[in-house]
Amino acid sequence: MSPALEALMQADGTPYSAKGVMLEPFVHQVGGHSCVLRFGEQTICKPLIPREHQFYKNLPLEMRKFTPQYKGVVSVSFEEDEEGNLCLIAYPLHSESGDSENKDPSADCQEPKSKMLKWSNKKQSPLLQEKENYSKDRPRNSRKEDKIMSYNRDEVQQQQAEVLCFSLEKGNVVSQIKHNPWSLKCHQQQLQRMKENAKHRNQYKFILLENLTWRYRVPCVLDLKMGTRQHGDDASEEKKANQIRKCQQSTSASIGVRLCGMQVYQSDSGQIMFMNKYHGRKLTLAGFKEALYQFFHNGRRLRHELLSPVLRRLREMQAALEACESYRFYSSSLLIIYDGDPPRTPARPRHRGGEEGDEDEPSDEEEEEGEEEGAFGFPRSSSTSAAGGLSGGGSGRSSHRAGEASSPEVDVRMIDFAHTTCRHYGEDSVVHEGQDSGFIFGLQNLITIISQLEEHSTD
């Protein structure tokens, strides 16, 4: 174990040994097609894509507050545990001098491999539990099925629905969430790709990034695909045509943003809702506005105290992007995250920037009567009243103490830079001038829509 990786794991609270780190499914992934894995409480990892890796290593200073922190690179391999289950293990690299390409995976890892993966007679340990309820009595270190990413066909079929709602038992909601349907789909696809290549290759490079959800007990996450164009400059004609068609048939063309994934928790019904990108592509402008309303609604009232911090963050991001010369963030996403189970306090809300709210927040019961309409006055859809969210992977994440003036913990970040380009990328054949007008166009429209939602909530 390298000292650098060991230090990161200790800071992350991750159990470690000379055998490396067993990667777990990252249950709060709501969009994207790359498999995201949980390295530790504060760290996730995903397959290394050279262009994205280059972006993180050369990130402009003005952009750092709007992206996850980059933490390095590890080598990931398929192995068997003591019970014969298949699992993914992360090991340190010797160095990052050649980590932007995966030419010789066997040379990446300090730890020697005692065996290659054999695909026969392996135990299946499903991540999804039967029905809609999940075991909550197992200690964290013994949740073997949460770490082993093997799935049944029935489980894969369950994630095909574009919008799913699950009921949770009252009590410790946090401990009941073990997955979401989209993370399950991505893990299944990643395992299949690795399985197909297992005879030729057993090690892959993954980048380590900040886990943006770790501070929240019950993370509610919205993934928005930004910009009017999604294909990179190096896309094939087929890929280019496919991406153009998706944009034209969705809100990407009209407002520069479309829904790519969402998870929301509703405290009144104890339900969580998952909405995937296929549903997001079908949304009209009115449907997109309604989805935003659903995202900020906890089942009792609209969480309008979140809207001002989100708008402030979006405007700061817009100013930073307007200063980024020649960058194009094709196919990048915007994440909005907040806590679906915030600490209850009688104090007035204080925004993250330290500004006190103008008015005391009415109770859930006071606002419940006036929240029958959907966004901007049109009727609430059935999926709005049945929506829900997702709880975090652990308790005690909130930094607020009872009775303190608390700020709504809201985060807004850009993610996914596999198709990002700028003039500093010397190998690119196309050099763009000026700002990324498509991304900024999407930000402007998102700011307008959330501003209208804020105004509507105060009527």
Side-chain angles (χ1 to χ4, degrees):
M1 183 71 61
S2 69
L5 185 60
E6 185 170 331
L8 174 62
M9 295 165 63
Q10 286 178 326
D12 221 9
T14 305
Y16 66 92
S17 68
K19 296 182 179 179
V21 180
M22 180 178 288
L23 302 176
E24 302 179 14
F26 179 62
V27 299
H28 302 305
Q29 179 183 2
V30 300
H33 59 269
S34 291
C35 176
V36 179
L37 300 171
R38 183 184 185 277
F39 180 87
E41 183 180 37
Q42 302 178 33
T43 306
I44 60 171
C45 62
K46 59 184 292 191
L48 185 149
I49 298 174
R51 184 173 293 274
E52 182 172 45
H53 186 225
Q54 184 178 8
F55 172 81
Y56 277 114
K57 292 183 72 174
N58 299 281
L59 191 62
L61 288 175
E62 60 269 24
M63 293 300 299
R64 290 185 180 177
K65 66 183 293 187
F66 301 110
T67 59
Q69 179 188 359
Y70 168 72
K71 299 187 177 185
V73 180
V74 291
S75 180
V76 175
S77 65
F78 263 138
E79 297 183 14
E80 299 176 44
D81 65 8
E82 301 82 1
E83 300 175 4
N85 294 310
L86 303 176
C87 49
L88 295 176
I89 307 294
Y91 296 98
L93 293 171
H94 281 297
S95 69
E96 290 196 25
S97 59
D99 59 7
S100 61
E101 296 184 24
N102 287 304
K103 293 182 178 179
D104 184 11
S106 63
D108 291 340
C109 189
Q110 289 183 345
E111 308 293 338
K113 293 290 169 291
S114 59
K115 54 189 174 182
M116 291 294 287
L117 186 65
K118 296 181 180 180
W119 291 90
S120 61
N121 300 322
K122 300 306 176 192
K123 297 181 180 179
Q124 296 272 317
S125 185
L127 182 63
L128 278 171
Q129 308 258 336
E130 290 185 359
K131 300 183 181 179
E132 296 177 350
N133 297 314
Y134 303 85
S135 172
K136 57 183 178 180
D137 299 322
R138 296 170 297 165
R140 175 175 170 178
N141 292 336
S142 67
R143 298 201 299 263
K144 187 73 71 172
E145 56 267 44
D146 297 341
K147 299 179 180 180
I148 310 305
M149 290 165 294
S150 300
Y151 308 100
N152 296 330
R153 286 187 177 181
D154 292 341
E155 295 166 343
V156 176
Q157 291 297 324
Q158 189 172 352
Q159 58 80 30
Q160 296 297 325
E162 296 174 358
V163 180
L164 289 176
C165 295
F166 295 105
S167 296
L168 301 177
E169 297 177 359
K170 292 183 178 180
N172 188 5
V173 173
V174 173
S175 67
Q176 297 181 53
I177 305 301
K178 309 304 178 196
H179 82 289
N180 69 44
W182 192 255
S183 66
L184 175 66
K185 174 184 176 71
C186 293
H187 291 144
Q188 169 70 17
Q189 292 175 341
Q190 182 72 28
L191 281 174
Q192 186 61 35
R193 287 192 294 266
M194 289 185 168
K195 178 179 179 179
E196 292 171 354
N197 295 328
K199 292 183 179 179
H200 310 288
R201 176 180 177 188
N202 191 36
Q203 294 183 18
Y204 297 79
K205 290 181 179 127
F206 279 54
I207 58 173
L208 297 173
L209 298 171
E210 174 188 5
N211 173 11
L212 300 176
T213 68
W214 80 272
R215 292 181 177 86
Y216 307 104
R217 291 187 69 251
V218 185
C220 296
V221 183
L222 178 66
D223 186 326
L224 300 173
K225 185 75 72 174
M226 302 299 296
T228 54
R229 168 181 163 177
Q230 303 300 327
H231 61 277
D233 292 324
D234 57 348
S236 66
E237 289 301 317
E238 180 181 3
K239 178 74 171 180
K240 179 179 177 180
N242 186 43
Q243 293 295 338
I244 291 175
R245 176 182 55 81
K246 291 177 183 177
C247 288
Q248 291 176 340
Q249 295 177 352
S250 69
T251 54
S252 292
S254 58
I255 60 173
V257 54
R258 72 171 183 258
L259 189 145
C260 192
M262 185 169 80
Q263 62 184 32
V264 184
Y265 174 67
Q266 284 197 322
S267 57
D268 66 329
S269 62
Q271 284 191 324
I272 58 175
M273 181 189 71
F274 308 105
M275 185 180 295
N276 68 26
K277 67 179 183 182
Y278 302 111
H279 182 75
R281 290 177 191 168
K282 298 176 181 178
L283 294 176
T284 62
L285 176 57
F288 179 79
K289 291 178 179 181
E290 175 71 6
L292 282 181
Y293 180 90
Q294 288 179 277
F295 177 68
F296 290 109
H297 202 284
N298 68 1
R300 293 187 174 94
R301 65 179 182 89
L302 184 71
R303 295 280 305 277
H304 57 82
E305 72 275 12
L306 303 172
L307 302 181
S308 180
V310 168
L311 287 169
R312 184 185 312 114
R313 183 79 168 174
L314 290 173
R315 292 185 178 112
E316 292 174 353
M317 182 181 293
Q318 179 181 340
L321 286 176
E322 289 173 346
C324 284
E325 171 67 23
S326 87
Y327 273 91
R328 295 297 182 271
F329 300 97
Y330 298 134
S331 199
S332 292
S333 286
L334 191 72
L335 285 186
I336 302 178
I337 310 169
Y338 70 88
D339 199 337
D341 188 23
R344 295 184 179 274
T345 173
R348 288 190 298 173
R350 183 184 300 274
H351 299 317
R352 178 171 253 177
E355 301 171 12
E356 290 191 2
D358 295 331
E359 301 177 357
D360 290 339
E361 290 300 316
S363 66
D364 290 341
E365 291 76 10
E366 290 173 343
E367 291 210 9
E368 191 172 5
E369 294 181 1
E371 292 294 345
E372 292 304 318
E373 292 182 329
F376 315 111
F378 52 81
R380 293 268 298 279
S381 66
S382 59
S383 59
T384 300
S385 60
L390 183 19
S391 50
S395 60
R397 297 176 183 222
S398 173
S399 61
H400 304 304
R401 296 182 179 89
E404 287 186 351
S406 61
S407 62
E409 288 288 337
V410 179
D411 206 352
V412 181
R413 305 283 187 104
M414 296 171 62
I415 61 167
D416 296 340
F417 304 102
H419 302 287
T420 295
T421 182
C422 77
R423 66 161 50 99
H424 306 300
Y425 293 12
E427 298 180 358
D428 287 357
S429 58
V430 179
V431 177
H432 299 272
E433 299 293 337
Q435 309 161 345
D436 188 339
S437 58
F439 197 113
I440 294 173
F441 176 66
L443 273 181
Q444 292 171 333
N445 284 311
L446 185 61
I447 290 170
T448 298
I449 293 171
I450 297 178
S451 297
Q452 292 172 350
L453 185 59
E454 184 180 39
E455 294 171 1
H456 174 76
S457 69
T458 58
D459 290 344

